[in-house]
Amino acid sequence: MNEEEPLSADACRGFAVIARACVEALANEPVEEVVDGVRRAAQAVGEARFDGARADAALRQRYYDRFFVSASPFFLPLCESTVRGAVEEGGRLRYAPAGGARADHVLACYRVAGFEHRDVGGFDLAVKTLKPDSMVAELAFMASLADAAAADAEDPAAARRAAFLLRQFACEHAAGWFAAAARYAARADDDFYAGVCTLAARAVKAVAA
């Protein structure tokens, strides 16, 4: 982690755009507005994999299979505690239970910054089942820090603090499991949601560097 060189306001703004597009994609059914938001965010960083994505019935079914149907071969519990603790058994991944010390630390980080993960909006079932250490919640938290860090003209000291917290959280939490989640998603199918995880992982890696 490069603590000597703070994140620039432009870097924070760019990260916030990508993070929010990914939050919308993971917390909502794939309507055209959501898919287009991911497409535009990806294109801004030179990524064209979403150019042909369509908000159709097949993608909607895949959304359910990815995040709500635990018996589905595409199911992926996008939580830090479950992904970090995943083990491979007989060629299949077994995810760890949600919760534990890391999830508790994530909540502590939220409290320090005054962030409430339960305020994240989205599809009713996604919101009801949202874990504090989910990719959705962690991305929303980091986006809020990025917004504060980008507002350096209003309060430079607060902006520097937010930028430091963003990089620290990315290093201690998100960067340690987003890439793994993307790989696990792609093992089942390198689909739209695997791409969203990859986009999020790359964005986090950039702010953690």
Side-chain angles (χ1 to χ4, degrees):
M1 178 173 64
N2 183 1
E3 296 181 354
E4 299 299 322
E5 184 177 347
L7 292 165
S8 70
D10 284 345
C12 290
R13 291 188 192 97
F15 173 80
V17 168
I18 293 174
R20 287 213 164 85
C22 292
V23 167
E24 288 297 308
L26 298 173
N28 291 280
E29 293 177 299
V31 296
E32 186 56 44
E33 181 181 1
V34 168
V35 173
D36 188 54
V38 172
R39 183 184 299 114
R40 286 185 283 106
Q43 288 173 343
V45 292
E47 174 59 69
R49 71 172 289 167
F50 300 101
D51 287 1
R54 297 177 56 195
D56 55 16
L59 186 58
R60 189 174 302 109
Q61 183 60 53
R62 179 55 57 89
Y63 176 68
Y64 303 146
D65 289 341
R66 276 294 190 188
F67 306 122
F68 306 113
V69 184
S70 59
S72 168
F74 305 109
F75 182 66
L76 177 62
L78 280 181
C79 293
E80 181 171 358
S81 48
T82 58
V83 170
R84 280 186 183 267
V87 294
E88 189 160 348
E89 295 180 344
R92 297 187 63 182
L93 282 170
R94 181 171 64 82
Y95 294 102
R102 282 193 175 275
D104 291 343
H105 187 258
V106 167
L107 270 174
C109 293
Y110 293 170
R111 293 190 189 103
V112 166
F115 176 79
E116 178 51 74
H117 75 280
R118 287 170 293 194
D119 290 341
V120 176
F123 177 54
D124 187 55
L125 183 57
V127 171
K128 285 181 178 178
T129 58
L130 188 68
K131 300 290 192 299
D133 64 334
S134 66
M135 186 176 285
V136 167
E138 291 193 8
L139 280 170
F141 174 57
M142 290 186 289
S144 71
L145 292 175
D147 284 341
D152 55 358
E154 299 174 16
D155 188 339
R160 286 193 298 272
R161 173 65 175 164
F164 173 79
L165 289 174
L166 170 58
R167 177 171 274 161
Q168 183 180 48
F169 187 86
C171 289
E172 293 182 359
H173 288 282
W177 72 278
F178 277 25
R183 290 194 304 272
Y184 296 162
R187 279 177 56 154
D189 187 13
D190 195 16
D191 60 8
F192 177 84
Y193 293 104
V196 170
C197 292
T198 298
L199 183 63
R202 289 174 179 168
V204 163
K205 182 179 179 180
V207 298

